[in-house]
Amino acid sequence: MAYKMTSFVEAHLAGDYASETGSTCGRGPQQQEPLFQSSMGSRPPPPKPRVGHVGAGITGFAGPSPMAGLDAYSRHKKFINDYVISLGEKRVERYLADRQPEVGKTDYDILQENHKFIRETETDDMSNWEVRMAVKYYSKLFKEYCIADMSRYKTAQIGLRWRTQQEVFCGDGQFRCGNQACKDAQDLSSYEMNFAYKEHGEKKEALVKLRLCPECGVKLNYKKLKQREKEMRRQAKALKKEAR
C-alpha cells in the first residue's frame, strides 16, 4: 500500500487542524497565503551604476570600468587628479596651505638657536634641556685654532668655527690650511686676529688664531690689501700732478 507524502504545512491546514478563517471544508482548492512575509514589503531593484563607476565591470553591473585593471595606487592618483580638476589647482593649494601640519624642531635647529661661539658657563641656564644640549656640544669642540669659511672673502665676510675631534685627528686647521675649502699643508703661517661677529642680535669680539697657506692668507686680508693698493694709486696720481 502506497502512502502519499505531504508537507507539514499541507498536513496542518488539512482536516481538523485548519483554523476557522483558513478552513477549506466544503470549498474548492484556494490559494493559501505564505506563512512568512517580509515586513518591509517589496522593494524596487537597485539602480544600475553608470558606466565608469567603481563597481562597473563586476558581474551584475553594467558596462566595463576603466578602473577595473588599476591597482590601489593608480586609483588613488586618478581620484586626486579628478579632485584637483573639479576644484581647481589654486583652490586646492589654498586648502592645503591652511592645513599644513606643524613641523617639530630637530636637534640641529635647537643647536642653531642655542649655540654660542664663546660660552660663559655662569650665564647658562642649565635647567633648560636645550641649553644643556648646546653646552654638551660646545664642550666637545677644540678651541685652539679655528676653521674659516672664505667663500665671501672679497666683501671681508669670513666665518669662523671651532674644530671638531675628527678635524683635529686629521690635522685640519693646524697642520693643514685652516680654510675649509683648502687642504694645502705647505708654508703655513699663523695669524692672530680680532674676530668681530654678530650673535643673536648682539655684536661681540673674540681673539682667535688661524693657520693659513700663503694664498688663503691673502684672502684673509683681501679688503685691506685692495684699500692699500687704491691708496697707493691715489698718492701716485697726486705726485704726478705736483711734478707737472
Side-chain angles (χ1 to χ4, degrees):
M1 183 176 181
Y3 294 94
K4 182 180 178 181
M5 300 297 294
T6 59
S7 65
F8 174 78
V9 177
E10 293 176 353
H12 178 73
L13 296 177
D16 297 335
Y17 293 98
S19 63
E20 296 180 358
T21 59
S23 176
T24 58
C25 297
R27 301 178 183 179
Q30 296 182 357
Q31 185 178 2
Q32 301 294 333
E33 296 181 357
L35 292 180
F36 303 99
Q37 185 174 2
S38 174
S39 62
M40 300 298 293
S42 60
R43 294 182 178 180
K48 295 183 178 180
R50 299 187 302 272
V51 176
H53 192 269
V54 177
I58 306 176
T59 304
F61 291 90
S65 171
M67 297 188 183
L70 299 180
D71 57 1
Y73 179 68
S74 300
R75 289 197 302 271
H76 171 75
K77 289 197 300 183
K78 186 179 186 314
F79 290 150
I80 294 298
N81 185 45
D82 295 343
Y83 179 76
V84 172
I85 291 175
S86 61
L87 291 182
E89 293 185 7
K90 293 184 179 180
R91 186 176 176 183
V92 173
E93 289 177 359
R94 290 197 302 268
Y95 177 84
L96 296 177
D98 296 340
R99 291 163 177 79
Q100 284 292 338
E102 296 183 1
V103 180
K105 294 182 180 179
T106 63
D107 292 348
Y108 181 76
D109 297 332
I110 294 174
L111 286 177
Q112 277 189 320
E113 294 176 358
N114 296 275
H115 179 71
K116 294 181 180 180
F117 187 72
I118 296 180
R119 302 196 73 95
E120 297 177 0
T121 55
E122 296 82 5
T123 60
D124 288 332
D125 183 13
M126 300 304 292
S127 62
N128 189 346
W129 70 270
E130 296 178 351
V131 176
R132 293 199 302 271
M133 179 188 293
V135 170
K136 184 177 180 180
Y137 174 77
Y138 181 81
S139 63
K140 296 180 180 180
L141 301 176
F142 293 81
K143 307 169 189 66
E144 184 179 1
Y145 295 100
C146 286
I147 299 294
D149 180 7
M150 296 186 174
S151 58
R152 302 181 182 179
Y153 71 94
K154 291 186 178 181
T155 58
Q157 294 179 336
I158 296 177
L160 297 179
R161 62 174 176 82
W162 302 117
R163 297 185 298 166
T164 62
Q165 185 179 27
Q166 184 65 28
E167 290 171 335
V168 172
F169 290 161
C170 296
D172 295 341
Q174 184 175 5
F175 303 109
R176 289 194 292 190
C177 181
N179 182 6
Q180 65 179 9
C182 178
K183 300 300 180 182
D184 194 358
Q186 302 295 328
D187 301 328
L188 300 181
S189 301
S190 297
Y191 295 85
E192 191 172 33
M193 59 177 293
N194 185 30
F195 179 49
Y197 60 99
K198 192 174 183 180
E199 186 177 70
H200 303 300
E202 183 181 355
K203 293 183 179 180
K204 298 181 179 180
E205 294 183 357
L207 193 64
V208 296
K209 291 189 292 183
L210 279 172
R211 294 274 292 169
L212 300 174
C213 64
E215 183 178 355
C216 294
V218 174
K219 293 180 180 180
L220 180 65
N221 301 300
Y222 179 83
K223 190 171 183 179
K224 291 183 179 179
L225 293 175
K226 287 296 180 181
Q227 291 176 350
R228 187 177 300 175
E229 291 178 2
K230 186 176 180 180
E231 182 66 22
M232 291 177 64
R233 287 196 301 268
R234 189 183 64 81
Q235 292 178 0
K237 288 181 180 180
L239 290 175
K240 286 182 179 180
K241 288 182 180 181
E242 293 177 0
R244 291 178 184 177

